[in-house]
Coordinates of all heavy atoms in Angstrom, one line a residue:
M24 N 7.7 -7.6 -7.5 CA 7.0 -7.0 -6.4 C 5.5 -7.3 -6.6 O 5.0 -7.3 -7.7 CB 7.2 -5.5 -6.4 CG 7.9 -5.1 -5.2 SD 8.0 -3.3 -5.2 CE 8.7 -2.9 -6.8
K25 N 4.8 -7.5 -5.5 CA 3.3 -7.6 -5.6 C 2.7 -6.9 -4.4 O 3.3 -6.6 -3.4 CB 2.9 -9.0 -5.7 CG 3.4 -9.9 -4.6 CD 3.0 -11.4 -4.9 CE 3.8 -12.3 -4.0 NZ 3.6 -13.7 -4.3
V26 N 1.4 -6.6 -4.6 CA 0.6 -6.0 -3.5 C -0.5 -6.9 -3.1 O -1.2 -7.5 -4.0 CB 0.1 -4.6 -4.0 CG1 -0.8 -4.0 -2.9 CG2 1.2 -3.7 -4.3
K27 N -0.7 -7.0 -1.8 CA -1.8 -7.8 -1.3 C -2.6 -7.0 -0.3 O -2.1 -6.2 0.5 CB -1.2 -9.0 -0.5 CG -2.2 -9.9 0.2 CD -1.4 -11.1 0.9 CE -2.4 -11.9 1.6 NZ -1.7 -13.0 2.4
E28 N -4.0 -7.1 -0.5 CA -4.8 -6.3 0.5 C -5.2 -7.3 1.6 O -5.6 -8.4 1.4 CB -6.1 -5.9 -0.2 CG -7.0 -5.1 0.7 CD -8.3 -4.6 0.0 OE1 -8.4 -4.7 -1.2 OE2 -9.2 -4.1 0.7
Q29 N -5.1 -6.8 2.8 CA -5.4 -7.6 4.0 C -5.8 -6.6 5.2 O -5.0 -5.8 5.6 CB -4.1 -8.4 4.4 CG -4.3 -9.2 5.7 CD -3.0 -10.0 6.0 OE1 -2.1 -10.0 5.2 NE2 -3.0 -10.5 7.1
N30 N -7.0 -6.8 5.7 CA -7.5 -6.1 6.9 C -7.2 -4.6 6.8 O -6.6 -4.0 7.6 CB -6.8 -6.6 8.1 CG -7.1 -8.0 8.4 OD1 -8.2 -8.5 8.1 ND2 -6.2 -8.8 8.9
Q31 N -7.7 -3.9 5.7 CA -7.6 -2.5 5.5 C -6.1 -2.0 5.4 O -5.7 -1.0 5.9 CB -8.3 -1.7 6.6 CG -9.8 -1.9 6.4 CD -10.6 -0.9 7.3 OE1 -10.2 -0.5 8.3 NE2 -11.8 -0.5 6.8
T32 N -5.3 -2.9 4.8 CA -3.9 -2.6 4.6 C -3.5 -3.1 3.3 O -3.9 -4.3 2.9 CB -3.0 -3.2 5.7 OG1 -3.4 -2.8 7.0 CG2 -1.5 -2.9 5.5
L33 N -2.7 -2.3 2.5 CA -2.1 -2.8 1.3 C -0.7 -3.2 1.7 O 0.1 -2.3 2.2 CB -2.1 -1.8 0.2 CG -3.4 -1.4 -0.4 CD1 -3.3 -0.4 -1.5 CD2 -4.1 -2.7 -1.0
L34 N -0.3 -4.4 1.5 CA 1.0 -4.9 1.8 C 1.9 -5.0 0.5 O 1.4 -5.5 -0.5 CB 1.0 -6.3 2.4 CG 0.2 -6.5 3.7 CD1 0.1 -7.9 4.1 CD2 0.8 -5.7 4.8
L35 N 3.1 -4.4 0.6 CA 4.0 -4.5 -0.5 C 5.0 -5.6 -0.2 O 5.7 -5.6 0.8 CB 4.7 -3.1 -0.7 CG 5.8 -3.1 -1.8 CD1 5.1 -3.3 -3.2 CD2 6.5 -1.7 -1.8
L36 N 5.0 -6.6 -1.1 CA 5.8 -7.8 -0.9 C 6.9 -7.9 -1.9 O 6.7 -7.6 -3.1 CB 5.0 -9.1 -1.0 CG 3.7 -9.1 -0.1 CD1 2.8 -10.3 -0.5 CD2 4.1 -9.2 1.3
D37 N 8.1 -8.3 -1.5 CA 9.2 -8.5 -2.5 C 9.1 -9.8 -3.1 O 8.1 -10.5 -2.9 CB 10.6 -8.3 -1.8 CG 10.9 -9.3 -0.8 OD1 10.2 -10.4 -0.7 OD2 12.0 -9.2 -0.1
D38 N 10.1 -10.2 -3.9 CA 10.0 -11.5 -4.6 C 10.0 -12.7 -3.8 O 9.6 -13.8 -4.2 CB 11.1 -11.6 -5.6 CG 11.0 -10.5 -6.7 OD1 9.9 -10.0 -7.0 OD2 12.1 -10.1 -7.3
T39 N 10.4 -12.6 -2.5 CA 10.4 -13.7 -1.6 C 9.2 -13.6 -0.6 O 9.1 -14.4 0.4 CB 11.7 -13.7 -0.7 OG1 11.7 -12.6 0.1 CG2 12.9 -13.8 -1.6
N40 N 8.2 -12.7 -0.9 CA 7.0 -12.5 -0.1 C 7.3 -11.9 1.2 O 6.4 -12.0 2.1 CB 6.2 -13.8 0.0 CG 5.5 -14.2 -1.3 OD1 5.1 -13.4 -2.0 ND2 5.5 -15.5 -1.5
K41 N 8.4 -11.2 1.4 CA 8.7 -10.5 2.6 C 8.0 -9.1 2.5 O 8.1 -8.5 1.4 CB 10.2 -10.3 2.8 CG 10.6 -9.4 4.0 CD 12.0 -9.2 4.0 CE 12.3 -8.2 5.1 NZ 13.6 -7.6 5.0
V42 N 7.3 -8.7 3.5 CA 6.7 -7.4 3.5 C 7.8 -6.3 3.6 O 8.6 -6.3 4.6 CB 5.7 -7.2 4.7 CG1 5.1 -5.8 4.8 CG2 4.6 -8.3 4.6
I43 N 7.8 -5.4 2.6 CA 8.8 -4.3 2.6 C 8.1 -2.9 2.7 O 8.8 -1.9 2.8 CB 9.7 -4.4 1.3 CG1 8.8 -4.3 0.1 CG2 10.5 -5.6 1.3 CD1 9.6 -4.1 -1.2
G44 N 6.8 -2.9 2.8 CA 6.1 -1.7 3.0 C 4.6 -1.9 3.1 O 4.1 -3.0 2.8
N45 N 3.9 -0.9 3.4 CA 2.4 -1.0 3.5 C 1.7 0.3 3.5 O 2.4 1.3 3.8 CB 2.0 -1.9 4.7 CG 2.3 -1.2 6.1 OD1 2.0 -0.1 6.3 ND2 3.0 -1.9 6.9
L46 N 0.5 0.3 3.3 CA -0.4 1.5 3.4 C -1.6 1.0 4.2 O -2.4 0.2 3.8 CB -0.9 2.0 2.1 CG 0.0 2.8 1.2 CD1 -0.7 3.2 -0.1 CD2 0.5 4.0 1.9
E47 N -1.8 1.6 5.4 CA -3.0 1.3 6.2 C -4.0 2.4 5.8 O -3.7 3.5 5.5 CB -2.7 1.4 7.7 CG -1.8 0.3 8.2 CD -1.6 0.4 9.7 OE1 -2.2 1.2 10.4 OE2 -0.7 -0.3 10.1
F48 N -5.3 2.0 5.7 CA -6.3 2.9 5.2 C -7.7 2.6 5.8 O -7.9 1.5 6.4 CB -6.4 2.7 3.7 CG -6.8 1.3 3.2 CD1 -8.1 0.9 3.1 CD2 -5.8 0.4 2.9 CE1 -8.5 -0.3 2.7 CE2 -6.2 -0.9 2.4 CZ -7.5 -1.2 2.4
T49 N -8.5 3.6 5.6 CA -9.9 3.4 6.0 C -10.7 3.7 4.7 O -10.4 4.7 4.0 CB -10.3 4.4 7.1 OG1 -9.5 4.2 8.2 CG2 -11.8 4.3 7.5
K50 N -11.7 2.9 4.4 CA -12.5 3.1 3.2 C -13.8 3.9 3.6 O -14.4 3.6 4.6 CB -13.0 1.8 2.6 CG -11.9 1.0 1.9 CD -12.5 -0.3 1.3 CE -11.4 -1.2 0.8 NZ -12.0 -2.4 0.2
T51 N -14.2 4.8 2.7 CA -15.5 5.5 2.9 C -16.2 5.2 1.6 O -15.7 4.5 0.7 CB -15.3 7.0 3.1 OG1 -14.8 7.6 1.9 CG2 -14.5 7.3 4.3
D52 N -17.4 5.7 1.4 CA -18.2 5.5 0.2 C -17.4 5.9 -1.1 O -17.6 5.3 -2.1 CB -19.5 6.2 0.3 CG -20.5 5.5 1.3 OD1 -20.2 4.3 1.6 OD2 -21.4 6.2 1.7
N53 N -16.7 7.0 -1.0 CA -16.1 7.5 -2.2 C -14.6 7.9 -2.1 O -14.0 8.6 -2.9 CB -16.8 8.8 -2.7 CG -16.8 9.9 -1.7 OD1 -16.3 9.7 -0.6 ND2 -17.4 11.0 -2.0
A54 N -13.9 7.4 -1.0 CA -12.5 7.7 -0.8 C -11.8 6.6 -0.1 O -12.4 5.8 0.6 CB -12.4 9.0 -0.1
L55 N -10.5 6.7 -0.2 CA -9.6 5.8 0.6 C -8.8 6.8 1.4 O -8.0 7.6 0.9 CB -8.7 5.0 -0.3 CG -7.6 4.2 0.4 CD1 -8.3 3.0 1.0 CD2 -6.6 3.7 -0.6
I56 N -8.9 6.7 2.7 CA -8.1 7.6 3.6 C -6.9 6.9 4.1 O -7.1 5.9 4.8 CB -9.0 8.1 4.8 CG1 -10.2 8.9 4.2 CG2 -8.2 9.0 5.7 CD1 -11.3 9.1 5.2
I57 N -5.8 7.3 3.7 CA -4.5 6.7 4.1 C -4.1 7.2 5.5 O -3.9 8.4 5.7 CB -3.4 6.9 3.1 CG1 -3.8 6.3 1.8 CG2 -2.1 6.3 3.6 CD1 -3.0 6.7 0.6
T58 N -4.0 6.2 6.4 CA -3.7 6.6 7.8 C -2.3 6.3 8.2 O -1.8 6.8 9.2 CB -4.7 5.9 8.8 OG1 -4.6 4.5 8.6 CG2 -6.1 6.4 8.5
R59 N -1.6 5.4 7.5 CA -0.2 5.1 7.9 C 0.5 4.5 6.7 O 0.4 3.3 6.5 CB -0.2 4.2 9.1 CG 1.2 3.9 9.6 CD 1.2 2.9 10.7 NE 2.5 2.5 11.1 CZ 3.2 1.5 10.5 NH1 2.6 0.8 9.5 NH2 4.4 1.2 10.9
P60 N 1.3 5.3 6.0 CA 2.2 4.7 5.0 C 3.5 4.2 5.6 O 4.0 4.9 6.5 CB 2.4 5.8 4.0 CG 2.3 7.0 4.8 CD 1.3 6.7 5.9
F61 N 4.1 3.2 5.1 CA 5.4 2.7 5.6 C 6.2 2.0 4.5 O 5.6 1.2 3.8 CB 5.3 1.8 6.8 CG 6.5 1.1 7.1 CD1 7.5 1.8 7.9 CD2 6.8 -0.2 6.7 CE1 8.7 1.2 8.2 CE2 8.0 -0.8 7.1 CZ 9.0 -0.1 7.8
I62 N 7.4 2.4 4.3 CA 8.3 1.7 3.4 C 9.6 1.5 4.2 O 10.1 2.4 4.9 CB 8.7 2.5 2.1 CG1 7.4 2.8 1.3 CG2 9.7 1.8 1.3 CD1 6.7 1.6 0.7
E63 N 10.2 0.3 4.1 CA 11.5 0.0 4.8 C 12.5 1.1 4.6 O 12.6 1.5 3.4 CB 12.0 -1.3 4.4 CG 11.2 -2.5 4.8 CD 12.0 -3.5 5.6 OE1 13.2 -3.3 5.8 OE2 11.3 -4.5 6.0
S64 N 13.1 1.6 5.6 CA 14.0 2.8 5.4 C 15.1 2.5 4.4 O 15.5 3.5 3.7 CB 14.6 3.2 6.8 OG 15.4 2.1 7.3
S65 N 15.6 1.3 4.3 CA 16.7 1.0 3.4 C 16.2 1.1 1.9 O 17.0 1.2 1.0 CB 17.3 -0.3 3.6 OG 16.3 -1.3 3.4
L66 N 14.9 1.2 1.7 CA 14.3 1.2 0.3 C 13.8 2.6 0.0 O 13.2 2.8 -1.1 CB 13.2 0.1 0.2 CG 13.7 -1.3 0.4 CD1 12.5 -2.2 0.4 CD2 14.7 -1.7 -0.6
G67 N 13.9 3.5 0.9 CA 13.3 4.9 0.7 C 13.9 5.5 -0.5 O 15.1 5.3 -0.9
G68 N 13.1 6.3 -1.2 CA 13.6 7.1 -2.4 C 13.6 6.3 -3.7 O 14.0 6.8 -4.7
N69 N 13.0 5.1 -3.6 CA 13.0 4.3 -4.8 C 11.6 4.2 -5.5 O 11.4 3.4 -6.4 CB 13.5 2.9 -4.5 CG 14.9 2.8 -4.2 OD1 15.7 3.3 -5.0 ND2 15.3 2.2 -3.1
G70 N 10.6 5.0 -5.0 CA 9.3 5.1 -5.7 C 8.3 4.0 -5.2 O 7.3 3.9 -5.8
F71 N 8.7 3.3 -4.1 CA 7.8 2.3 -3.6 C 6.5 2.8 -3.0 O 5.4 2.2 -3.2 CB 8.5 1.4 -2.6 CG 9.6 0.5 -3.2 CD1 10.9 0.7 -2.8 CD2 9.3 -0.4 -4.2 CE1 11.9 0.0 -3.4 CE2 10.3 -1.1 -4.8 CZ 11.6 -1.0 -4.4
A72 N 6.5 4.0 -2.3 CA 5.3 4.6 -1.8 C 4.4 5.0 -2.9 O 3.2 4.8 -2.9 CB 5.6 5.8 -0.9
E73 N 5.0 5.6 -4.0 CA 4.2 6.0 -5.1 C 3.6 4.7 -5.8 O 2.4 4.7 -6.2 CB 5.1 6.7 -6.1 CG 4.3 7.2 -7.4 CD 5.2 8.0 -8.3 OE1 6.4 8.2 -8.1 OE2 4.6 8.4 -9.3
F74 N 4.3 3.6 -5.9 CA 3.9 2.4 -6.4 C 2.6 1.9 -5.6 O 1.6 1.5 -6.2 CB 5.0 1.3 -6.4 CG 4.5 0.0 -6.8 CD1 4.5 -0.3 -8.2 CD2 4.2 -1.0 -5.9 CE1 4.1 -1.6 -8.6 CE2 3.8 -2.3 -6.4 CZ 3.8 -2.6 -7.7
L75 N 2.7 2.0 -4.3 CA 1.5 1.6 -3.5 C 0.3 2.5 -3.8 O -0.8 2.0 -3.9 CB 1.9 1.6 -2.0 CG 2.6 0.3 -1.5 CD1 3.0 0.6 0.0 CD2 1.7 -0.9 -1.6
L76 N 0.5 3.8 -3.8 CA -0.6 4.7 -4.1 C -1.2 4.4 -5.5 O -2.4 4.4 -5.7 CB -0.1 6.1 -4.1 CG 0.2 6.7 -2.7 CD1 0.9 8.0 -2.8 CD2 -1.1 6.8 -1.9
D77 N -0.3 4.2 -6.5 CA -0.8 3.8 -7.8 C -1.6 2.5 -7.8 O -2.7 2.4 -8.4 CB 0.3 3.7 -8.8 CG 1.0 5.0 -9.2 OD1 0.4 6.1 -8.9 OD2 2.1 5.0 -9.7
R78 N -1.2 1.6 -7.1 CA -1.8 0.3 -7.0 C -3.2 0.5 -6.3 O -4.2 -0.1 -6.7 CB -1.0 -0.7 -6.2 CG -1.6 -2.1 -6.1 CD -1.7 -2.7 -7.5 NE -2.3 -4.0 -7.4 CZ -3.4 -4.4 -8.1 NH1 -3.9 -3.6 -9.0 NH2 -3.9 -5.6 -7.9
A79 N -3.3 1.3 -5.3 CA -4.5 1.5 -4.6 C -5.5 2.1 -5.6 O -6.7 1.8 -5.6 CB -4.3 2.5 -3.4
S80 N -5.1 3.0 -6.4 CA -5.9 3.7 -7.4 C -6.4 2.6 -8.4 O -7.5 2.6 -8.8 CB -5.1 4.8 -8.1 OG -5.9 5.4 -9.1
E81 N -5.5 1.7 -8.9 CA -5.8 0.7 -9.9 C -6.9 -0.2 -9.4 O -7.6 -0.7 -10.2 CB -4.6 -0.1 -10.3 CG -3.6 0.7 -11.1 CD -2.3 -0.1 -11.3 OE1 -2.2 -1.3 -11.0 OE2 -1.3 0.5 -11.8
I82 N -6.9 -0.5 -8.1 CA -7.9 -1.5 -7.7 C -9.2 -0.9 -7.3 O -10.1 -1.5 -6.6 CB -7.3 -2.4 -6.5 CG1 -6.9 -1.6 -5.3 CG2 -6.2 -3.3 -7.1 CD1 -6.4 -2.5 -4.2
G83 N -9.4 0.4 -7.7 CA -10.7 1.0 -7.6 C -10.9 1.9 -6.4 O -12.1 2.3 -6.2
F84 N -9.9 2.3 -5.8 CA -10.1 3.3 -4.7 C -9.9 4.7 -5.3 O -9.2 4.9 -6.2 CB -9.0 3.1 -3.6 CG -9.1 1.8 -2.9 CD1 -8.0 1.0 -2.9 CD2 -10.3 1.4 -2.3 CE1 -8.1 -0.3 -2.2 CE2 -10.3 0.2 -1.6 CZ -9.3 -0.6 -1.6
C85 N -10.6 5.6 -4.6 CA -10.4 7.1 -4.9 C -9.4 7.6 -3.8 O -9.8 7.7 -2.7 CB -11.7 7.8 -4.9 SG -11.5 9.6 -5.1
C86 N -8.2 7.9 -4.2 CA -7.2 8.3 -3.2 C -7.2 9.7 -2.8 O -7.2 10.6 -3.7 CB -5.8 7.9 -3.7 SG -5.6 6.1 -3.9
K87 N -7.2 10.1 -1.6 CA -7.0 11.4 -1.0 C -5.8 11.4 -0.1 O -5.7 10.6 0.8 CB -8.2 11.8 -0.2 CG -9.5 11.7 -1.0 CD -9.7 12.9 -1.9 CE -11.1 12.8 -2.5 NZ -11.3 13.9 -3.4
V88 N -4.8 12.2 -0.5 CA -3.6 12.2 0.4 C -3.5 13.5 1.1 O -3.8 14.6 0.5 CB -2.3 12.0 -0.5 CG1 -1.1 12.0 0.3 CG2 -2.4 10.7 -1.2

């Protein structure tokens, strides 16, 4: 799995580069405001949303949920 940032969205990609989830966001000076999280329904409950939040934090955002 990998995460790609594109147009104020973090895209969660599987091993074949298919988008399986995303987090849409707005950046401010000191926060990342998440406006729309999405994970494919068949993958729910597997920690992918948490993975995206962790990744957002790792790349230097201050996350407010």
Side-chain angles (χ1 to χ4, degrees):
M24 243 183 312
K25 58 187 164 186
V26 176
K27 176 180 176 183
E28 183 180 349
Q29 178 180 349
N30 300 325
Q31 294 191 328
T32 302
L33 291 180
L34 301 172
L35 180 61
L36 307 170
D37 68 9
D38 294 335
T39 66
N40 289 324
K41 177 184 173 197
V42 176
I43 59 172
N45 64 52
L46 284 179
E47 292 180 11
F48 60 86
T49 302
K50 290 181 186 180
T51 67
D52 289 338
N53 61 358
L55 176 74
I56 301 166
I57 296 169
T58 55
R59 184 182 171 274
F61 170 78
I62 299 295
E63 293 237 358
S64 61
S65 63
L66 301 172
N69 290 308
F71 293 117
E73 183 178 0
F74 177 80
L75 278 174
L76 288 170
D77 288 345
R78 183 66 183 125
S80 177
E81 288 173 10
I82 59 178
F84 297 123
C85 175
C86 297
K87 304 282 182 181
V88 180

